[in-house]
Amino acid sequence: MRTSYREALRAAIREALLADDRTFLMGEDVGRYGGCFAVSLGLLEEFGEQRVRDTPLSESAFVGAGIGAAMAGMRPIVEIMTVNFSLLALDQIMNNAATLRHMSGGQIGVPLVIRMTTGGGRQLAAQHSHSLEGWYAHIPGLRVVAPATVADARGMLPTALEDPDPVLLFEHGGLYGTEDDLAEDAGAVDIDRAAIRRDGSDLTLIAYGGTVRTALQAADVLAGQGIAAEVIDLRTLRPLDERAFLDSVGRTHRAVIVDEGWRSGSLAAEIAARIGERALYELDAPVQRVCTAEVPLPYAKHLEDAALPSPERVVDAALKTVT
Amino acid sequence: MRTSYREALRAAIREALLADDRTFLMGEDVGRYGGCFAVSLGLLEEFGEQRVRDTPLSESAFVGAGIGAAMAGMRPIVEIMTVNFSLLALDQIMNNAATLRHMSGGQIGVPLVIRMTTGGGRQLAAQHSHSLEGWYAHIPGLRVVAPATVADARGMLPTALEDPDPVLLFEHGGLYGTEDDLAEDAGAVDIDRAAIRRDGSDLTLIAYGGTVRTALQAADVLAGQGIAAEVIDLRTLRPLDERAFLDSVGRTHRAVIVDEGWRSGSLAAEIAARIGERALYELDAPVQRVCTAEVPLPYAKHLEDAALPSPERVVDAALKTVT
Amino acid sequence: MNGTDSSARMRMLTEMVRIRRFEQRCVELYSATKIRGFMHLYIGEEAVATGALTPLTPEDAVVSTYREHGHALARGMPMAALMAEMFGKVTGCSRGRGGSMHLFDASRKFYGGNAIVGGGLPLAVGLALADSMRGRQAVTMCLFGDGAAAEGEFHETMNLAALWQLPVLFCCENNYYAMGTALERSHAETDLALRASSYGVRSWAVDGMDVQAVARATARAADMARTGSGPCFLEFRTYRFRAHSLYDPERYRDRAEVDRWKERDPIESLTRRMRDSGELSDEDLEKLEFGVESEIDRAVAEADSDEEEPVDDLERFVYADGK
Amino acid sequence: MNGTDSSARMRMLTEMVRIRRFEQRCVELYSATKIRGFMHLYIGEEAVATGALTPLTPEDAVVSTYREHGHALARGMPMAALMAEMFGKVTGCSRGRGGSMHLFDASRKFYGGNAIVGGGLPLAVGLALADSMRGRQAVTMCLFGDGAAAEGEFHETMNLAALWQLPVLFCCENNYYAMGTALERSHAETDLALRASSYGVRSWAVDGMDVQAVARATARAADMARTGSGPCFLEFRTYRFRAHSLYDPERYRDRAEVDRWKERDPIESLTRRMRDSGELSDEDLEKLEFGVESEIDRAVAEADSDEEEPVDDLERFVYADGK
Ligand SMILES: Cc1ncc(C[n+]2csc(CCOP(=O)(O)OP(=O)(O)O)c2C)c(N)n1
Ligand SMILES: Cc1ncc(C[n+]2csc(CCOP(=O)(O)OP(=O)(O)O)c2C)c(N)n1
Ligand SMILES: [Mg+2]
Ligand SMILES: [Mg+2]
């Protein structure tokens, strides 16, 4: 069935609310407004105010409240409207959610899912275009996932809710409208493994979330030039499925990482470092990174386009590895 | 003159307050208490309440106030007691301080210095032991510096205050008591270049802040085994002085990065990635990273010690690159 | 009724009409895809910007929100610079980098345009702190919404400004909704002026649909703040006639409620009053409308033909030029 | 005066003495370097923990601060588990990972020990939310200091708890200082109970040096919260007789002020009252002190001989076991 990424997310939330009365959805405008990006449209009407809770503009308090509720046995889904606002809740995320189990010697768990929209490309300018999921992946105690496909949008949430520890789920704002066929019985998917989205033997394109599409487009172009690029969708940014990309690089001997985060200190850096550590002698060329320019993202389209990873930039980087 | 890191910082602040009446120091307990780590002891008495301002426990407000004052032409020094609390002010730092100049098309500058204590090793446990300076170095628009020596503790602040853009200055909590000779006329130092703290031709140890000491100790041990390690102190974490470590690796062909941040997504990853990108064919062995274990730092000393980079771990990593 | 009052009314009526017509044109331009990104209209709230900005001098500072076209125009920003900004042109007030949500004009001390709800509040304290430390008689006006008052930064900022007796005018534009969240779902205490007074800040609730009332109240508060008696809080009770942003289907409120508020349209009210008292003829009104339309036409024409910023300048102003 | 009252007083006296003697022993143990890290003593404030925890049932939850030895003891945490924690032993209440600032006891719903000022507030709201959604009659007690009330999280949390009418007991331990910052330098409005009431939360100021008054006020508030009438705020006016932490030279307050408060020593007051009324004999007191000393001796002996956690467990509990 033709399903949008947005509808898939909604179906996943709805299923979770039906399946477990410990689950509830909480965040700014998730209820009456229907969600800033219409993801939760209709859920308030179906599940009522207790289970679909509009919050005040108090990111730290409602994220922390989600943590507290999880500690007390609930299975909350907290929505932070966009990752840009999550900075206001970062203390709760790092110093409580990610830390409590270890610090308490295993006594306290935080089975919480935090959803947020991420990414640029919609001319929303510097304060509404961050791609910080790779940055969050630095924090021990968290799991970080980024659905790039409709099937993952449908399936990652139920699995994340089964996780006894906090999971951050990053929805790319540019993907909500994308559609794909989704099986009638589509449901939970694993959140441990990366996926190969396209096979290829000449080089490996490593991407996640919003950049998977970019990488696939680049792979098309490369195919036209006789270069077979394998495209890996990381899916889970913490912990990284290192085997997936090391194996691929072991076959292709060349890698380009496509990451919407700012380049310095990006997740792409971590991946490049691991390839250098574990597969140095496999490499036939330096690993290339295609990241976002290190600027606050500008509003003007031509500038924003120039700043973000594009298929053209990926193709250029790929060509550098093969020549 | 024998001077401690703490005294050097104090002398730097004092000089800045004397030199420019646009400069003031603001933060929690910088005044009457004398600073949580006694850095600003005596300054309230000398400069008065206007210039040395105790703030309420309101990290977001007083950091934001520092940004606003800087926008209006002041040259504030804001102290966040420790980096652990800076998460509460991260929105102001990323979305305002780092962003305003670019987003306003160059109209608004934020000549602000934010000082914070960083690092573990004092049995302060999970919420008081973060090393996030490498993580902050991800953010465009900021400069990030980390004095590792008494001379840099003395000299980095005046240079940072000359900078028309926001500078984060990370003081390692384990260094306050360390002493060194400091010239009578010691003053401003550059904050653009890394420094070679020890020459060596067999391998390069790359460190900064609290880990420079660790790297130097490791170099001593290695010297005993006939291995000459060069020790590079990065000094400035953003922008990175890439030439310094690339040149060194060009000579030694081996590198170990010593970073107190958590390994995944560490600054060490960025450095390893850059070495892989720019000096792949120079490498005689995979780059090694010695970082903090990916755990919230525990209180118990034996566990904390096991988690942090140590000279022994650096030596082990170094030996892997030469054998 | 004296001539001054009458000319002040005429000026304010003109300003309100300017804002209204500007916003209406923006809707058309958005449909025509000349403007992109998020856009938040001020229609219905014109009396607030117009009245509140009236008593300010060029030395005073203004900190605004993402719903700030009206604030910028009332502050005297040339309409062409504003329109060019929304067109993403280099002639825009932020070189086209900010768009609708990030209007800046340092020459008029208009410090943006902030898209993080509450993010401007601490900046205002800092601007006022700078004025107070330098002995300047200026005030800083900080505009924000009812929703913003739920953010932690509101609390920290109110307290800090009151504690330090800083010349801040906190101007809360209470339009009874934060996106789709009604005031009574955001705040346990919906009397925001009462809440504000609990910080020991002089607070008033003002009819935000009556431009003269707004101007009077602000003038009184500004006088107090200017002469060293600390911050004031003004709650302007107003209403937005349009959706939150152009993406909002307005599921959360009744048509009837909107219609009731429209009966108190600030432009119609003032027009009626001025007609009744004979200060405003049909001819005056026509002239006014014509003048505004021409100004808008010119602004659009200019914006349309203006240049974009060269892509090569993308990284310019991340840091100050020449660094 | 009935027997119940008298036995309650005896219990409370014993608890206060336990806490006092425990803290005094901790000072010795710190000097003997058995305890490390930051340690914050509760001496002078014993009436608050003792009185406030008295009306709680095992179903109720407690969220605490870094100054929480007294809270933990009053909640019934075995002293040996607490002492072992501070010795960094695996038998500690947090396996030695938390130390003084991070005491946890999930079986007693004692949710820590939080070293971020204000960091526990949102957790308390979440715990109470879970209770309320599950229809449990429990309350959540959240303890925090006067300094914490300046944090944004205080505001967000008070509002959220009031808005959602959650069973939270906000217990502010107003000891008139946040480290070295006096109440009147932290808060524009120093009447914290008055401030709290501005959220529409029932608030009382209570003599925190009178354990019976504390217990009475808390019992009344707990009854209200338990029966669905929303959160309460209790300001306990108290004083710490010792420095903020063991590193604090107490430059910010007069010896004379401390001495004045010591005249109101909660233990001496209650002792005097009970002696005067004939409820307490010299012998009783000796027995009490002897019992407490023996308990402490045993706790120390156990802690001293207990094992450390194996280093191999360092990474255990970053995520749940068996994941
Ligand atoms: C910190 C933060 N959280 C959420 C948002 C998304 N958002 C943008 S405007 C808005 C509503 C703000 O309401 P209010 O302060 O009343 O201002 P109004 O839009 O009514 O003028 C929200 C939730 C944001 N921009 N920043
Ligand atoms: C967010 C944060 N900022 C600063 C600190 C450092 N600090 C620890 S305790 C303290 C004072 C807190 O005062 P108060 O809330 O009154 O509690 P008290 O210590 O008096 O019990 C400060 C500033 C911290 N731990 N967390
Ligand atoms: Mg509003
Ligand atoms: Mg206190």
Side-chain angles (χ1 to χ4, degrees):
Chain A
M1 202 172 55
R2 256 353 240 184
T3 308
S4 71
Y5 186 89
R6 172 185 290 112
E7 289 160 354
L9 288 164
R10 187 185 306 139
I13 300 171
R14 181 166 177 271
E15 180 194 60
L17 290 169
L18 284 170
D20 189 341
D21 68 0
R22 299 171 305 171
T23 295
F24 61 99
L25 175 68
M26 165 163 75
E28 290 159 11
D29 289 307
V30 296
R32 278 157 195 80
Y33 194 96
C36 181
F37 301 100
V39 169
S40 50
L41 197 63
L43 297 180
L44 171 69
E45 291 70 18
E46 182 171 357
F47 294 97
E49 292 195 349
Q50 285 286 314
R51 310 282 304 286
V52 179
R53 308 184 78 94
D54 280 325
T55 66
L57 275 145
S58 304
E59 285 78 4
S60 196
F62 72 74
V63 170
I67 298 169
M71 287 161 63
M74 304 298 281
R75 292 288 179 279
I77 306 171
V78 170
E79 173 178 319
I80 303 179
M81 203 178 268
T82 80
V83 67
N84 310 281
F85 319 143
S86 72
L87 302 179
L88 292 164
L90 198 40
D91 172 63
Q92 287 298 322
I93 295 172
M94 190 187 294
N95 283 322
N96 284 336
T99 302
L100 277 162
R101 185 186 296 280
H102 192 269
M103 180 167 76
S104 69
Q107 287 178 82
I108 314 267
V110 182
L112 167 71
V113 176
I114 304 178
R115 300 170 42 233
M116 8 184 172
T117 302
T118 188
R122 291 165 296 142
Q123 290 195 252
L124 302 184
Q127 294 179 334
H128 272 58
S129 303
H130 294 311
S131 290
L132 298 176
E133 54 278 15
W135 204 53
Y136 272 105
H138 180 55
I139 306 172
L142 301 180
R143 182 188 282 270
V144 179
V145 301
T149 65
V150 171
D152 277 353
R154 177 65 184 81
M156 281 183 160
L157 181 72
T159 316
L161 282 166
E162 295 279 298
D163 197 305
D165 294 308
V167 179
L168 308 190
L169 191 148
F170 286 92
E171 304 164 7
H172 196 286
L175 294 180
Y176 284 123
T178 57
E179 293 195 350
D180 204 348
D181 286 324
L182 190 70
E184 288 290 337
D185 63 348
V189 297
D190 90 279
I191 52 173
D192 294 315
R193 297 277 150 260
I196 298 179
R197 298 293 179 204
R198 176 183 178 126
D199 287 311
S201 52
D202 294 334
L203 83 137
T204 304
L205 302 179
I206 303 167
Y208 68 87
T211 57
V212 171
R213 195 166 50 170
T214 317
L216 287 169
Q217 288 164 358
D220 276 343
V221 176
L222 289 165
Q225 306 182 21
I227 300 165
E230 180 145 298
V231 177
I232 292 192
D233 172 2
L234 291 170
R235 302 183 66 245
T236 293
L237 313 187
R238 183 180 188 94
L240 278 172
D241 180 8
E242 184 176 286
R243 270 281 43 94
F245 60 81
L246 291 179
D247 285 351
S248 178
V249 172
R251 291 189 299 271
T252 65
H253 311 292
R254 293 170 170 85
V256 176
I257 309 159
V258 195
D259 183 351
E260 207 181 301
W262 291 308
R263 181 187 185 90
S264 293
S266 55
L267 188 72
E270 177 62 27
I271 294 166
R274 293 206 194 179
I275 294 173
E277 280 160 3
R278 309 286 170 86
L280 184 66
Y281 304 112
E282 297 289 348
L283 286 176
D284 284 348
V287 173
Q288 299 283 327
R289 291 185 280 165
V290 178
C291 300
T292 293
E294 303 200 27
V295 302
L297 275 189
Y299 162 73
K301 183 163 169 42
H302 67 295
L303 293 176
E304 187 182 34
D305 285 347
L308 292 169
S310 62
E312 298 71 45
R313 285 178 57 208
V314 177
V315 169
D316 286 349
L319 292 176
K320 276 193 206 143
T321 69
V322 293
T323 48
Chain B
M1 203 173 51
R2 256 353 239 182
T3 308
S4 71
Y5 187 90
R6 172 184 291 110
E7 288 160 355
L9 287 163
R10 186 184 308 138
I13 300 170
R14 181 167 179 273
E15 181 194 61
L17 290 169
L18 285 170
D20 189 342
D21 68 0
R22 298 170 307 172
T23 294
F24 60 100
L25 176 67
M26 164 162 74
E28 290 160 11
D29 288 306
V30 296
R32 279 157 195 80
Y33 194 97
C36 180
F37 301 99
V39 168
S40 50
L41 197 63
L43 297 180
L44 171 69
E45 291 70 17
E46 182 170 358
F47 295 97
E49 293 194 351
Q50 284 286 314
R51 310 282 306 285
V52 179
R53 309 184 79 93
D54 281 325
T55 65
L57 274 144
S58 304
E59 284 79 4
S60 196
F62 72 74
V63 169
I67 299 169
M71 286 161 63
M74 305 298 281
R75 292 288 180 278
I77 306 171
V78 171
E79 173 178 317
I80 303 179
M81 205 178 266
T82 80
V83 68
N84 310 280
F85 319 142
S86 72
L87 301 179
L88 291 164
L90 198 40
D91 171 63
Q92 287 297 324
I93 296 172
M94 191 187 293
N95 282 322
N96 283 336
T99 302
L100 277 162
R101 184 185 298 278
H102 192 269
M103 180 168 74
S104 69
Q107 286 178 82
I108 314 268
V110 183
L112 167 70
V113 176
I114 303 179
R115 299 171 42 234
M116 5 184 173
T117 302
T118 188
R122 290 165 297 142
Q123 290 194 252
L124 302 184
Q127 293 178 335
H128 272 59
S129 302
H130 294 311
S131 290
L132 298 177
E133 54 278 15
W135 203 55
Y136 272 104
H138 180 56
I139 306 172
L142 301 180
R143 181 187 284 267
V144 179
V145 303
T149 65
V150 171
D152 276 353
R154 176 66 184 83
M156 281 183 160
L157 181 72
T159 317
L161 281 166
E162 296 280 299
D163 197 306
D165 294 309
V167 179
L168 307 190
L169 190 147
F170 286 92
E171 304 165 7
H172 195 285
L175 294 180
Y176 284 124
T178 56
E179 293 195 350
D180 204 350
D181 287 324
L182 189 70
E184 288 290 337
D185 62 348
V189 297
D190 91 278
I191 51 172
D192 294 316
R193 296 276 150 261
I196 298 178
R197 297 294 179 203
R198 177 183 177 127
D199 287 313
S201 51
D202 295 334
L203 83 139
T204 304
L205 301 180
I206 302 167
Y208 68 85
T211 57
V212 171
R213 193 167 52 168
T214 316
L216 288 168
Q217 287 163 359
D220 276 343
V221 176
L222 289 166
Q225 305 182 21
I227 300 165
E230 181 144 297
V231 177
I232 292 194
D233 173 1
L234 290 171
R235 303 181 69 244
T236 293
L237 314 188
R238 182 178 188 96
L240 278 171
D241 180 8
E242 184 177 286
R243 272 276 47 92
F245 60 81
L246 292 179
D247 285 351
S248 178
V249 172
R251 293 189 298 270
T252 65
H253 311 293
R254 293 171 172 84
V256 176
I257 309 158
V258 195
D259 182 351
E260 207 181 301
W262 291 306
R263 182 187 183 88
S264 294
S266 55
L267 188 72
E270 177 62 27
I271 294 166
R274 293 207 194 178
I275 294 173
E277 281 160 3
R278 309 287 169 86
L280 184 68
Y281 303 111
E282 297 289 347
L283 286 177
D284 284 347
V287 173
Q288 299 284 326
R289 289 186 281 166
V290 178
C291 300
T292 292
E294 303 199 28
V295 302
L297 275 189
Y299 162 72
K301 183 163 169 40
H302 66 296
L303 294 176
E304 188 183 34
D305 284 348
L308 292 169
S310 62
E312 298 72 43
R313 287 177 57 206
V314 177
V315 169
D316 287 350
L319 292 177
K320 276 193 207 141
T321 69
V322 292
T323 50
Chain C
M1 186 161 305
N2 63 39
T4 327
D5 274 358
S6 163
S7 69
R9 273 191 293 275
M10 193 61 202
R11 203 196 51 69
M12 293 199 286
L13 180 65
T14 308
E15 192 62 63
M16 291 199 290
V17 172
R18 261 183 103 224
I19 296 172
R20 173 82 46 102
R21 301 290 170 251
F22 180 86
E23 296 294 58
Q24 288 166 335
R25 185 69 67 89
C26 281
V27 179
E28 292 168 26
L29 292 163
Y30 201 94
S31 306
T33 75
K34 291 286 183 184
I35 303 177
R36 301 278 77 196
F38 283 159
M39 187 170 80
H40 306 83
L41 300 176
Y42 202 61
I43 295 176
E45 310 186 36
E46 296 89 346
V48 179
T50 303
L53 278 280
T54 291
L56 296 195
T57 74
E59 281 68 46
D60 298 330
V62 180
V63 175
S64 178
T65 67
Y66 47 86
R67 192 184 301 288
E68 90 280 36
H69 305 170
H71 308 152
L73 288 172
R75 184 57 177 172
M77 184 188 285
M79 194 182 277
L82 208 173
M83 193 58 90
E85 185 59 30
M86 306 225 281
F87 276 56
K89 301 300 179 74
V90 68
T91 45
C93 59
S94 310
R95 299 176 72 88
R97 291 157 166 220
S100 164
M101 303 198 289
H102 301 294
L103 309 174
F104 286 89
D105 187 344
S107 70
R108 290 183 177 79
K109 293 184 184 285
F110 190 82
Y111 289 112
N114 203 304
I116 303 296
V117 171
L121 285 154
L123 303 184
V125 170
L127 290 161
L129 175 61
D131 284 333
S132 135
M133 289 183 73
R134 305 309 273 177
R136 297 187 287 245
Q137 292 272 303
V139 301
T140 298
M141 173 170 292
C142 184
L143 298 134
F144 56 96
D146 49 295
E151 292 281 4
E153 283 183 332
F154 170 77
H155 170 70
E156 297 188 358
T157 298
M158 289 292 289
N159 182 46
L160 198 59
L163 190 67
W164 290 353
Q165 288 288 295
L166 299 175
V168 183
L169 299 183
F170 291 100
C171 294
C172 180
E173 305 189 293
N174 178 6
N175 60 11
Y176 294 90
Y177 287 90
M179 284 188 64
T181 302
L183 183 65
E184 62 273 19
R185 297 185 185 282
S186 275
H187 293 280
E189 171 56 69
T190 53
D191 186 334
L192 299 179
L194 186 70
R195 280 240 51 250
S197 69
S198 78
Y199 296 94
V201 171
R202 263 177 317 264
S203 305
W204 298 270
V206 182
D207 179 357
M209 305 308 265
D210 177 347
V211 68
Q212 292 183 284
V214 172
R216 268 194 312 271
T218 311
R220 182 179 51 177
D223 281 349
M224 288 180 152
R226 207 182 293 287
T227 52
S229 49
C232 295
F233 179 93
L234 295 154
E235 179 197 342
F236 298 117
R237 297 186 174 160
T238 181
Y239 200 79
R240 64 170 156 73
F241 293 170
R242 307 289 294 243
H244 168 73
S245 73
L246 290 198
Y247 290 115
D248 166 13
E250 285 185 86
R251 293 193 190 81
Y252 48 82
R253 62 181 189 183
D254 283 347
R255 193 71 238 153
E257 178 183 298
V258 182
D259 287 341
R260 266 198 312 282
W261 276 92
K262 281 193 175 164
E263 284 165 22
R264 305 191 44 221
D265 184 318
I267 297 180
E268 284 175 17
S269 311
L270 184 61
T271 306
R272 206 176 312 120
R273 220 178 304 161
M274 290 174 70
R275 272 156 126 49
D276 288 354
S277 69
E279 305 170 54
L280 187 74
S281 65
D282 282 355
E283 213 176 317
D284 292 339
L285 203 56
E286 241 170 69
K287 227 173 84 190
L288 189 169
E289 291 278 4
F290 181 80
V292 166
E293 286 303 314
S294 330
E295 186 187 10
I296 297 175
D297 288 343
R298 276 195 310 276
V300 173
E302 278 185 42
D304 218 13
S305 62
D306 281 344
E307 299 289 312
E308 287 177 347
E309 187 172 18
V311 172
D312 284 348
D313 275 2
L314 174 62
E315 303 200 358
R316 195 170 163 206
F317 301 129
V318 176
Y319 301 98
D321 269 354
K323 236 172 81 176
Chain D
M1 188 164 303
N2 63 39
T4 329
D5 273 0
S6 163
S7 69
R9 273 190 293 274
M10 193 60 201
R11 203 197 51 67
M12 292 198 287
L13 180 66
T14 308
E15 192 62 63
M16 290 198 293
V17 172
R18 262 181 102 223
I19 297 172
R20 172 82 48 102
R21 300 293 170 249
F22 180 87
E23 297 293 58
Q24 288 167 335
R25 187 69 67 88
C26 282
V27 179
E28 293 168 25
L29 292 163
Y30 202 95
S31 306
T33 73
K34 292 286 184 184
I35 303 176
R36 301 277 76 195
F38 283 160
M39 188 169 79
H40 307 83
L41 301 176
Y42 203 60
I43 294 176
E45 310 186 35
E46 296 88 346
V48 178
T50 302
L53 278 279
T54 290
L56 296 196
T57 73
E59 281 67 47
D60 297 331
V62 181
V63 175
S64 178
T65 66
Y66 47 86
R67 192 185 300 287
E68 89 281 37
H69 305 170
H71 307 151
L73 289 172
R75 182 58 178 170
M77 184 188 286
M79 195 184 275
L82 207 172
M83 193 58 91
E85 184 60 32
M86 306 225 282
F87 276 55
K89 300 301 179 72
V90 69
T91 46
C93 60
S94 311
R95 298 177 73 89
R97 290 157 168 221
S100 165
M101 302 197 290
H102 301 294
L103 308 175
F104 285 90
D105 188 344
S107 69
R108 291 183 178 78
K109 293 183 182 286
F110 190 83
Y111 290 112
N114 203 305
I116 303 297
V117 171
L121 286 154
L123 302 184
V125 170
L127 290 161
L129 176 61
D131 284 333
S132 133
M133 288 183 73
R134 305 308 274 175
R136 296 187 287 246
Q137 290 272 303
V139 302
T140 298
M141 173 172 290
C142 184
L143 297 135
F144 57 95
D146 49 295
E151 291 282 4
E153 284 183 331
F154 169 78
H155 170 70
E156 296 187 359
T157 298
M158 289 291 289
N159 182 46
L160 198 58
L163 190 66
W164 290 354
Q165 289 289 291
L166 298 175
V168 183
L169 298 183
F170 291 100
C171 293
C172 180
E173 306 189 295
N174 178 6
N175 60 11
Y176 293 90
Y177 287 90
M179 282 188 66
T181 303
L183 183 64
E184 64 271 19
R185 296 186 187 281
S186 277
H187 293 281
E189 171 55 69
T190 54
D191 186 334
L192 299 179
L194 186 71
R195 279 240 51 250
S197 69
S198 78
Y199 295 94
V201 171
R202 264 178 316 265
S203 306
W204 298 271
V206 182
D207 180 357
M209 304 309 263
D210 177 347
V211 68
Q212 292 182 283
V214 171
R216 265 195 312 272
T218 312
R220 183 179 50 177
D223 281 349
M224 288 181 152
R226 208 182 292 288
T227 52
S229 50
C232 295
F233 179 93
L234 293 155
E235 178 197 342
F236 298 117
R237 296 185 175 161
T238 182
Y239 201 79
R240 65 170 156 72
F241 292 171
R242 309 287 295 243
H244 168 74
S245 73
L246 291 197
Y247 291 114
D248 166 15
E250 286 184 85
R251 292 195 190 82
Y252 48 84
R253 62 182 188 181
D254 281 350
R255 194 71 237 157
E257 179 184 297
V258 181
D259 288 341
R260 266 197 313 283
W261 276 93
K262 281 193 176 163
E263 285 164 21
R264 305 193 44 221
D265 185 317
I267 297 180
E268 284 175 18
S269 311
L270 184 60
T271 306
R272 205 177 312 120
R273 223 178 301 162
M274 290 175 70
R275 270 156 128 47
D276 288 355
S277 69
E279 302 169 58
L280 186 75
S281 66
D282 283 356
E283 214 175 316
D284 293 339
L285 205 55
E286 243 169 65
K287 229 175 82 190
L288 189 170
E289 290 278 6
F290 181 80
V292 166
E293 285 303 314
S294 329
E295 186 188 9
I296 298 175
D297 288 343
R298 276 194 311 276
V300 172
E302 278 185 42
D304 219 12
S305 62
D306 282 343
E307 300 288 314
E308 286 176 345
E309 187 171 19
V311 171
D312 284 347
D313 276 2
L314 174 62
E315 301 200 359
R316 197 171 160 206
F317 302 129
V318 176
Y319 300 98
D321 270 354
K323 238 172 80 176

